[in-house]
């Protein structure tokens, strides 16, 4: 059973960089069929896909966030990470990491709330 | 970008009733459509993938149908634990989610 766990600061100041890490257990992020993903949910809103990374290193980002987002991975630690630059209050959200297998997300982390505030 | 429109926004039903949720895509996604259930304070849970396949451990009362642009999630007889928000998602053209349908107790 694959498990994912997000970690990182719960509070980020406006204009700074949001950094989160997702630790995967019960499976390898080097598995060829999986894409490792970030999704967020603003308070009271729906789900927004941010992007995902394949173990080959290929990344795919939501075009609305592309210039601000970087997703990377550390296979030695079985982790992948999200960096979102120049954050504003609109980036306040619960951030989920998830595994994309085929065309759907089959395993999710519990989510972590990140608040952007001075 | 493919836009997914879910309807209705809210569905008020009683336990034991049948729930029918709709997801319409702005262009064809073939069968590349998934459904998720989300309860307050929890991560979404995959219910249906590839339009009609139940994910592991999902009860048989959940079923999905459709192809192209029109999809339906049906809950044949609502249990109390089924009252939640449901999202559809496609990956044919980038990746998008619908806005959600809240199934609430009447």
């Amino acid at each position: 059973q694959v498990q994912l766990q997000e970690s990182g600061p719960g509070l980020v100041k406006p204009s700074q960089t949001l950094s989160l890490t997702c630790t995967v257990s019960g499976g390898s992020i080097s598995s060829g069929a999986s894409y490792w993903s970030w999704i967020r949910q603003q308070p009271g809103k729906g789900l927004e896909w941010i992007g995902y990374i394949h173990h080959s290193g290929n990344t795919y980002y939501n075009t609305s966030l592309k210039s601000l987002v970087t997703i990377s991975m550390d296979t030695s630690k079985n982790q992948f990470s999200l960096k979102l630059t120049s954050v504003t209050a609109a980036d306040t959200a619960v951030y989920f990491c998830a595994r994309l297998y085929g065309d759907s997300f089959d395993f999710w982390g519990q989510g972590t709330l990140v608040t952007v505030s001075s | 970008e493919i836009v997914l429109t879910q309807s209705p926004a809210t569905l008020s039903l009683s336990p034991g009733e049948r729930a029918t949720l709709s997801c319409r895509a702005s262009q064809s996604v073939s069968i590349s459509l998934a459904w998720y259930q989300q309860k307050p304070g929890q991560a979404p849970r995959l219910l249906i993938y590839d339009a009609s396949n139940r994910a592991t451990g999902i009860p048989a009362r959940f079923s999905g149908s459709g192809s192209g642009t029109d999809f339906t999630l049906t809950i044949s007889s609502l249990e109390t634990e089924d009252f939640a928000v449901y999202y559809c998602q496609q990956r044919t053209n980038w990746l998008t989610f619908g806005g959600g349908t809240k199934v609430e107790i009447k």
Side-chain angles (χ1 to χ4, degrees):
Chain A
Q1 177 86 348
V2 175
Q3 294 184 306
L4 301 94
Q5 178 67 58
E6 305 89 351
S7 59
L11 181 64
V12 180
K13 288 182 168 48
S15 79
Q16 294 193 342
T17 297
L18 180 159
S19 296
L20 295 174
T21 295
C22 183
T23 301
V24 179
S25 58
S28 171
I29 64 170
S30 297
S31 168
S34 302
Y35 290 78
W36 303 96
S37 314
W38 289 98
I39 295 151
R40 71 180 183 180
Q41 186 169 38
Q42 295 165 318
K45 303 292 187 182
L47 301 165
E48 180 182 28
W49 170 65
I50 299 170
Y52 49 68
I53 187 167
H54 186 256
H55 75 86
S56 63
N58 290 337
T59 52
Y60 305 83
Y61 301 128
N62 187 323
T63 52
S64 66
L65 297 168
K66 187 174 183 177
S67 63
L68 303 171
V69 173
T70 303
I71 297 176
S72 59
M73 65 193 323
D74 184 338
T75 55
S76 68
K77 295 181 179 179
N78 224 34
Q79 295 176 333
F80 62 104
S81 298
L82 169 71
K83 290 190 187 300
L84 179 65
T85 61
S86 305
V87 296
T88 70
D91 296 306
T92 293
V94 175
Y95 287 77
F96 297 99
C97 58
R99 184 179 84 159
L100 181 74
Y101 187 81
D103 290 340
S104 56
F105 298 101
D106 58 352
F107 293 104
W108 295 67
Q110 65 187 24
T112 187
L113 173 63
V114 179
T115 301
V116 178
S117 175
S118 56
Chain B
E1 175 183 303
I2 293 177
V3 177
L4 298 178
T5 303
Q6 291 189 241
S7 61
T10 304
L11 197 52
S12 299
L13 295 168
S14 301
E17 289 193 294
R18 182 183 189 89
T20 303
L21 288 67
S22 173
C23 177
R24 178 163 291 177
S26 59
Q27 57 186 276
S28 177
V29 299
S30 185
I31 60 166
S32 176
L33 191 101
W35 290 94
Y36 301 86
Q37 176 194 68
Q38 187 180 33
K39 297 179 181 178
Q42 296 184 16
R45 176 175 71 146
L46 177 65
L47 298 175
I48 302 289
Y49 66 94
D50 293 344
S52 62
N53 295 292
R54 271 190 303 277
T56 302
I58 301 304
R61 63 181 182 272
F62 291 92
S63 63
S65 63
S67 64
T69 60
D70 290 302
F71 299 87
T72 301
L73 174 69
T74 301
I75 311 171
S76 59
S77 179
L78 282 164
E79 303 279 345
T80 53
E81 63 263 31
D82 300 336
F83 291 92
V85 179
Y86 294 82
Y87 295 96
C88 56
Q89 169 253 315
Q90 66 81 27
R91 195 200 170 196
T92 294
N93 182 323
W94 290 108
L95 196 153
T96 52
F97 289 92
T101 290
K102 181 179 182 180
V103 179
E104 65 175 23
I105 299 177
K106 187 173 182 179

